[in-house]
Amino acid sequence: MEEALLIDSHAHLQDKAYRDDRDEVIRRALEGGLEGIVCVGYDLESSLETVEIARAHPKISAVVGIHPHDAKTLTPDTQERLYQLGRDPKVVAIGEIGLDFYRDLSPREVQKEAFIAQIRLARELKKPVVIHDRDAHQEVLEIIKQEKAGENGGVMHCYSGSLPMAIELIKLGFHISFAGPLTFKNARRALEVAARLPLDRILVETDCPYLTPEPLRGRRNEPLHVREVARKLAEIRRRALAEIAYLTSKNTREVFRIS
Ligand code: NI
């Protein structure tokens, strides 16, 4: 277990923040203790880019979908292209999809329609979903239940909800993923949730280039920094970092069916 490697279950490597040194960032992660990176799109263009990046790197997988911020862009044509893209063997899930009632960058009804349409698309493809939920916990949970979104598994990314909701989501087939905010000083609720969930349902991620964990806050985030999230989880659960790495990587491979 000494040599257990981590997987960053949610990174935006296609982001322009990595335009000048993407290969270097990937190399640093894979040489620094990661065995894989799941690269996640947020609109059609970034989804196409995630697939390109994943095709070029055996240890990178792609997730394609339209983020709630961009829900307006989910036209029938985009949906058809996502469906075709979703059939690619490098594409392990549909995401990130969901609801964001904090920034409200697309009208709420439009967000809901895009969320539902993409859950249905994932079910057709028999692939899991990666869900973004910000300040929309009840609505997200209702849609997940109504649409059987956990049928092929799924991940609640950068989880910010309550412990009871996390337990309900697990019953519905979901895994719960923690990012940099777990390391922040005001992370009381996330800490409580991370302390109690079954260890076979927890994932770690960076959501890079955003949400840089402590003690690196203030810098650009990158997949290698998932170590800090795992380290915090190890501290909370009083386990060795190697055990947390082993378990979260196993969970990530299971939910995304990565061999
Ligand atoms: Ni993200």
Side-chain angles (χ1 to χ4, degrees), residues 68-203:
H69 292 341
D70 300 293
K72 288 182 289 230
T73 68
L74 188 67
T75 60
D77 178 55
T78 302
Q79 202 165 315
E80 176 55 27
R81 294 189 64 188
L82 270 183
Y83 180 77
Q84 294 307 332
L85 206 53
R87 296 169 62 185
D88 191 292
K90 288 296 289 196
V91 173
V92 295
I94 298 300
E96 53 183 286
I97 60 175
L99 302 176
D100 192 314
F101 291 177
Y102 177 72
R103 293 186 64 194
D104 279 323
L105 294 186
S106 279
R108 292 184 176 185
E109 280 315 306
V110 177
Q111 290 189 41
K112 285 186 184 173
E113 279 169 31
F115 185 26
I116 291 169
Q118 292 180 96
I119 291 170
R120 292 179 181 172
L121 190 144
R123 289 185 64 198
E124 250 177 85
L125 290 163
K126 299 194 172 18
K127 290 194 177 174
V129 286
V130 174
I131 294 185
H132 171 106
D133 161 22
R134 188 137 187 229
D135 288 0
H137 303 319
Q138 275 323 307
E139 292 85 349
V140 163
L141 194 55
E142 262 168 46
I143 291 176
I144 283 174
K145 284 190 200 160
Q146 169 203 312
E147 296 295 324
K148 300 186 173 58
E151 191 180 62
N152 302 294
V155 176
M156 292 302 290
H157 126 77
C158 193
Y159 188 69
S160 61
S162 67
L163 180 63
M165 180 169 160
I167 291 167
E168 193 168 1
L169 285 162
I170 285 174
K171 284 188 192 139
L172 293 167
F174 279 81
H175 284 65
I176 308 293
S177 184
F178 293 98
L182 191 66
T183 68
F184 297 173
K185 284 193 181 63
N186 59 359
R188 210 173 47 88
R189 184 149 91 164
L191 286 180
E192 241 174 61
V193 179
R196 291 174 178 216
L197 293 184
L199 280 170
D200 62 354
R201 291 303 187 103
I202 298 181
L203 268 50

Side-chain angles (χ1 to χ4, degrees), residues 10-12 40-42 67 96 132 157-158 205 207-208 210:
H10 191 116
H12 299 290
V40 183
Y42 39 75
H67 192 285
E96 53 183 286
H132 171 106
H157 126 77
C158 193
E205 61 168 286
D207 201 21
C208 65
Y210 316 106

